[in-house]
Amino acid sequence: MARNEEKAQSMLYRFREAQAAQLGLAKTRQRRPGFAGSVTSITEAEMWRRDLLSEISRKIAKIQDVSLSDYQVRDLNDEINKLMGQKYHWEKRIVELGGPDYTRSGPRMFSYEGREAPGIRGYRYFGRARDLPGVRELFEQEVAEPVNRSITEINRDIDANYYGYHDEENQALLEYEKALEKELAQKLLSTPLESLEKE
């Protein structure tokens, strides 16, 4: 028995599909616009977003296939990341048209979305892509958690400069303060008394 992909590529299948389209029996599949800004209705933008979500979920399921080579897994992971970027643009367009903000209220799919390697913002690794050579090392180098320090260790390096006790010895700071005092005094003297009472 042939697979569905092979059936879809057969000459008879394509002939029957064209025949049905000619008779008006089958709905022809539209291509998703490359630019989200070209869509002017919320319903159409949401339809294309749903189409993207279904394509992303198919590719995430496909990336789990054990029979795929490392190169195919890398290519699939790149395609998924590209589709995730397109999904973001469609969600942004929906908000521009006055629709719901899916980036804030949409369901989070943490188990499906993959993980970001530390230091690489925005690029995620899905399924088997996390186990590829080179990627595995990225996840092993995860950032170490900050060590909790006691109060005595924190206060050990604090001296009088921290609290500003030696600021009187800093000539540049003293000159700046004098200039600012003069400016504020002149401003105070030049403003009428009535405006000060209102404030």
Side-chain angles (χ1 to χ4, degrees), residues 31-38 86 90:
R31 290 189 60 164
R32 183 174 53 244
F35 177 58
S38 63
Q86 290 177 9
W90 282 104

Side-chain angles (χ1 to χ4, degrees), residues 6-181:
E6 293 168 355
K7 287 180 189 175
Q9 296 302 320
S10 72
M11 185 66 92
L12 178 64
Y13 180 82
R14 287 186 283 169
F15 173 73
R16 293 278 189 195
E17 205 173 56
Q19 198 176 34
Q22 245 178 4
L23 295 172
L25 300 174
K27 189 175 181 183
T28 56
R29 171 120 168 91
Q30 294 178 332
R31 290 189 60 164
R32 183 174 53 244
F35 177 58
S38 63
V39 175
T40 57
S41 71
I42 296 174
T43 54
E44 189 179 355
E46 286 182 338
M47 178 189 74
W48 291 124
R49 179 185 173 273
R50 280 192 305 274
D51 182 54
L52 262 172
L53 286 174
S54 65
E55 190 174 345
I56 289 170
S57 64
R58 278 195 309 270
K59 289 190 186 268
I60 288 175
K62 189 176 180 180
I63 205 170
Q64 303 294 347
D65 189 5
V66 181
S67 64
L68 294 176
S69 70
D70 288 351
Y71 298 109
Q72 291 171 324
V73 170
R74 285 183 197 277
D75 290 343
L76 262 176
N77 196 58
D78 290 341
E79 290 173 19
I80 293 169
N81 276 294
K82 182 180 175 187
L83 290 172
M84 294 294 276
Q86 290 177 9
K87 180 180 82 104
Y88 170 74
H89 290 293
W90 282 104
E91 289 171 347
K92 199 166 86 172
R93 180 63 181 159
I94 290 170
V95 170
E96 289 172 2
L97 293 172
D101 188 3
Y102 290 109
T103 56
R104 292 184 183 208
S105 62
R108 299 275 183 217
M109 301 185 304
F110 290 115
S111 58
Y112 296 108
E113 282 191 14
R115 290 176 48 198
E116 281 183 8
I120 302 173
R121 295 252 324 131
Y123 193 86
R124 294 181 178 271
Y125 293 95
F126 300 87
R128 279 198 44 222
R130 290 184 220 139
D131 298 328
L132 290 172
V135 176
R136 195 177 310 121
E137 287 81 24
L138 288 174
F139 287 113
E140 289 172 359
Q141 296 174 0
E142 290 195 29
V143 180
E145 293 183 22
V147 179
N148 291 336
R149 298 187 330 177
S150 66
I151 293 175
T152 55
E153 290 175 347
I154 293 171
N155 291 335
R156 182 177 300 144
D157 298 326
I158 295 177
D159 56 0
N161 290 328
Y162 177 81
Y163 293 106
Y165 289 131
H166 297 294
D167 287 346
E168 291 80 25
E169 298 169 7
N170 188 348
Q171 292 300 319
L173 185 60
L174 291 173
E175 290 172 13
Y176 173 74
E177 285 178 354
K178 284 180 185 176
L180 194 61
E181 282 176 10

